Amino acid sequence: MNELRSIITGLAVLCSAPAFLTSCGGVTVQPTYYTLDGFAIGTSYHIVAQVADSTGFAQMIESTFWQASASMSVYDPNSLLNRLNRNETDLVDDHIAACIATARIASQQSGGVYDITVKPVTEAWGFTGPDPQYRPDLDSLLRYVGYNRITVQDGQLIKEDPAIQLELNSVAKGYIVDLIAANIEAWGSGNYMVEVGGEVFCRGRNRRGNNWVVGIDTPADGNMIPGMDMHTRLSFTGLGLATSGNYRKFYTDPDGNRVVHTINALTGDSRPTNLLSATVLAETCALADAFGTALMALGLEKSIELLSSTDSILGYLIYDDGNGGYSHWSSPGMAAMILE
């Protein structure tokens, strides 16, 4: 997995700043913690970093968001991702190539349940396109789904069928977090936390000298504001975190069935399971992002099997206890990070 962090670090906008400043009298000025909040790529962000000089720091963050948006935005019709999906080009940039490489890992380990070529299906269910279709013809749509049906060679995206489309929602936000983190390190900071739309990467220590603390929301219907109702908190550093759940993005179809945004790419199924949310810690936030979605698609039992078979990702699963309450399961390595 180290190559993923190397790829992202290599893509960083190399901005240099000294680790400390010296005044005219020769007195060392210690770096201070700088906080930056804003809105970009359709969501909010919160960044805290210990930097010696914040001049230009906000502009660097803004530039990073701009680059990522030009590459992978679903809202910008001229983004590279949208042009790839319309077959107006077959050239990918480093950002999209890195997301495809990360997604392939989650696809392979989930047995294909997670797949970034699932866009025609999510579109039919109404989550990435126009109004939802009533009982969509999944068999016809699944003909264009399959992560093994795309490859990247020498910067070119090769599709087995031109109708294949990419949906990077489940990995791009985590990748952007990693990209910002790499840029902050290039800026000279070793103590920082980046949060974009609930996805997090942090390194070093917070301003109190402790590990960073991140909350996991209670996966209750109506809990739409992150941080307002937390199920538990985690204390960690040097890892990426992402949480996926179906309690905020869903609707009820004419038959009274609940339709959720997490799609099983093998079946096209959009029905919920008793797994309500999946929080993942991994070496990169992009990897955590992809596996969070993969676990939600797998369901509780298969998610426990996957997490029990690997040490490269850690998971915290919240599920319906069958009596209107919540139970949880966590990887052994995750349990040590839980703050009671």
Side-chain angles (χ1 to χ4, degrees):
M1 304 284 180
N2 287 330
E3 67 267 20
L4 293 176
R5 172 58 59 187
S6 298
I7 290 171
I8 294 165
T9 303
L11 295 175
V13 180
L14 297 178
C15 304
S16 60
F20 58 87
L21 295 179
T22 304
S23 70
C24 293
V27 178
T28 299
V29 179
Q30 295 297 329
T32 59
Y33 282 85
Y34 178 64
T35 300
L36 186 64
D37 294 287
F39 192 85
I41 62 168
T43 190
S44 62
Y45 64 86
H46 175 69
I47 297 169
V48 181
Q50 187 184 35
V51 294
D53 183 6
S54 63
T55 304
F57 187 83
Q59 287 78 6
M60 180 271 287
I61 299 297
E62 182 180 355
S63 175
T64 307
F65 277 121
W66 183 88
Q67 291 177 41
S69 180
S71 172
M72 300 177 289
S73 173
V74 296
Y75 305 107
D76 180 0
N78 295 316
S79 71
L80 178 57
L81 177 63
N82 283 327
R83 289 188 285 120
L84 283 165
N85 283 337
R86 294 193 301 262
N87 297 307
E88 295 174 0
T89 182
D90 61 2
L91 300 179
V92 301
D93 61 8
D94 290 336
H95 304 305
I96 292 177
C99 285
I100 292 173
T102 300
R104 182 173 290 271
I105 296 171
S107 294
Q108 291 170 337
Q109 294 196 31
S110 68
V113 167
Y114 168 81
D115 197 314
I116 58 171
T117 65
V118 77
K119 187 175 187 294
V121 180
T122 56
E123 219 170 53
W125 285 117
F127 291 106
T128 57
D131 293 336
Q133 299 176 22
Y134 177 60
R135 297 181 179 177
D137 184 357
L138 297 178
D139 288 339
S140 64
L141 296 172
L142 289 172
R143 292 181 299 169
Y144 309 113
V145 176
Y147 72 94
N148 283 324
R149 303 182 66 191
I150 61 168
T151 57
V152 176
Q153 297 180 7
D154 299 323
Q156 181 182 22
L157 178 65
I158 300 173
K159 305 178 184 179
E160 285 188 6
D161 190 302
I164 295 173
Q165 298 185 66
L166 305 181
E167 180 183 305
L168 300 182
N169 292 344
S170 60
V171 65
K173 190 163 59 173
Y175 170 81
I176 293 169
V177 169
D178 291 329
L179 191 63
I180 292 172
N183 284 340
I184 291 174
E185 291 187 23
W187 193 266
S189 176
N191 298 302
Y192 63 86
M193 188 273 293
V194 178
E195 181 266 326
V196 179
E199 321 292 47
V200 175
F201 188 89
C202 56
R203 192 176 297 283
R205 298 291 184 264
N206 61 24
R207 53 172 48 93
R208 296 181 181 86
N210 302 319
N211 283 352
W212 300 91
V213 176
V214 178
I216 300 176
D217 288 328
T218 301
D221 291 354
N223 185 8
M224 303 300 292
I225 303 176
M228 290 296 292
D229 181 6
M230 289 190 296
H231 181 82
T232 192
R233 298 179 302 154
L234 301 176
S235 173
F236 64 96
T237 189
L239 294 168
L241 175 145
T243 297
S244 293
N246 288 319
Y247 56 98
R248 287 177 179 151
K249 293 182 180 179
F250 67 91
Y251 65 88
T252 303
D253 71 11
D255 296 327
N257 298 312
R258 185 165 172 144
V259 180
V260 298
H261 80 288
T262 302
I263 306 297
N264 182 323
L266 296 179
T267 65
D269 190 11
S270 65
R271 290 175 294 181
T273 69
N274 63 334
L275 180 57
L276 303 177
S277 76
T279 297
V280 175
L281 283 171
E283 181 186 13
T284 68
C285 191
L287 202 61
D289 198 1
F291 270 98
T293 301
L295 296 180
M296 289 302 301
L298 282 169
L300 179 62
E301 290 76 17
K302 291 184 178 179
S303 291
I304 292 175
E305 289 179 14
L306 190 156
L307 290 167
S308 298
S309 67
T310 179
D311 295 326
S312 61
I313 59 171
L314 305 177
Y316 186 94
L317 310 177
I318 303 176
Y319 59 94
D320 186 344
D321 67 1
N323 297 308
Y326 305 103
S327 292
H328 75 270
W329 180 93
S330 62
S331 302
M334 179 78 86
M337 304 180 189
I338 299 172
L339 296 176
E340 300 294 348

